[in-house]
Amino acid sequence: MSSRSMTTITGSLLTACFSAVLILSHTAVADDQGPGSGKGGKAVDKAPTGVKVTTLLPERISVDNSTRKTSFTVTVKNTGTEESGDLRLLVVGFDGLTVKNVEDCTAIAKKNLPEGANSGFACPVGKLATKNANSYEVDATFDLSRTGKICLPVQTSDGKKTYWQQGPVPFGTTNPSPNAPATPLLLGTDNKPVAPGGDRLPKTGAGSDVLPFGAAGAALLSAGAAGLWWSGRRPRRED
């Protein structure tokens, strides 16, 4: 990848999100994922007339307790009446959720990630025809002794506009099962970690109600990001 392309990815990522992503290995069963959900998603910059892009995450995933691995599918779709322009999807992990690989996507160097992120991938989506969608397989790990979040911004290919962002949204469980082969996690649930002996650990990481729309904006601004949408305005909510 050229240095110019990486600079563009870096700048747009810094304007995109602050969250934790769950990396799941091939030990997870696809049937465990449940239906897709846009929970935690919001429109950001105004899309062209007739274009409406959104993302979907599984409502539940399963983490292998011995390997911490799991896998899941993320989807970006255009539910509007007109074809989109060239798009890209960013998949970013925070805290206990680490993204190890995203099918057909390019890893973002750690030095180019926003503060607090541990991993990220940039996925070229291209143009999405009306009612069409692209899906990407994600491999990840999840440290069950911590909380974890994922963030999915959908941007123009040059990173100048973010039409949609799902997250930072947590995966987690309020009923840890350290002695079971696997732990199911639900989308939109803050993880309640448990120690091997069964004692609960203090909750780590920011809660879903403490998103970095202010502090993160300042941090990213200091990193040289342009067009920080969250630091100066409230995202538009989907009807």
Side-chain angles (χ1 to χ4, degrees):
M1 178 177 290
S2 68
S3 59
R4 181 177 179 182
S5 298
M6 181 55 70
T7 299
T8 303
I9 289 174
T10 301
S12 64
L13 177 59
L14 289 174
T15 67
C17 68
F18 232 74
S19 77
V21 179
L22 167 68
I23 297 177
L24 308 172
S25 130
H26 298 292
T27 58
V29 179
D31 291 343
D32 289 342
Q33 296 189 12
S37 172
K39 181 179 294 184
K42 49 207 168 269
V44 186
D45 294 310
K46 183 175 177 59
T49 302
V51 176
K52 185 177 182 181
V53 293
T54 57
T55 54
L56 296 174
L57 283 164
E59 290 189 349
R60 63 180 183 270
I61 60 175
S62 179
V63 178
D64 186 296
N65 285 340
S66 61
T67 64
R68 298 182 176 178
K69 293 181 178 180
T70 184
S71 62
F72 57 91
T73 302
V74 300
T75 300
V76 56
K77 63 179 182 177
N78 176 16
T79 61
T81 58
E82 300 292 336
E83 181 183 76
S84 74
D86 283 333
L87 302 174
R88 73 174 169 207
L89 170 71
L90 303 180
V91 182
V92 185
F94 290 77
D95 301 328
L97 189 155
T98 304
V99 180
K100 297 296 187 183
N101 187 60
V102 184
E103 181 183 25
D104 299 326
C105 301
T106 302
I108 300 168
K110 289 199 173 185
K111 66 180 182 180
N112 296 325
L113 292 171
E115 183 179 351
N118 58 46
S119 52
F121 282 74
C123 307
V125 176
K127 296 178 180 179
L128 277 181
T130 178
K131 311 303 180 185
N132 277 18
N134 285 355
S135 294
Y136 302 86
E137 294 302 313
V138 178
D139 290 330
T141 58
F142 197 103
D143 182 350
L144 294 168
S145 69
R146 307 168 63 193
T147 59
K149 295 188 181 71
I150 186 169
C151 190
L152 303 177
V154 181
Q155 305 179 324
T156 53
S157 60
D158 59 11
K160 292 183 177 179
K161 290 188 176 182
T162 299
Y163 293 146
W164 172 265
Q165 177 174 306
Q166 185 173 6
V169 61
F171 274 104
T173 178
T174 57
N175 185 26
S177 51
N179 298 320
T183 297
L185 303 182
L186 299 179
L187 182 66
T189 301
D190 283 311
N191 195 42
K192 301 292 185 182
V194 66
D199 297 328
R200 289 189 179 277
L201 297 175
K203 181 179 172 181
T204 59
S208 58
D209 57 342
V210 189
L211 301 182
F213 289 99
L220 297 180
L221 183 61
S222 67
L228 295 173
W229 48 264
W230 64 45
S231 61
R233 57 194 168 102
R234 188 183 302 276
R236 298 184 296 106
R237 294 186 178 273
E238 287 293 294
D239 295 330

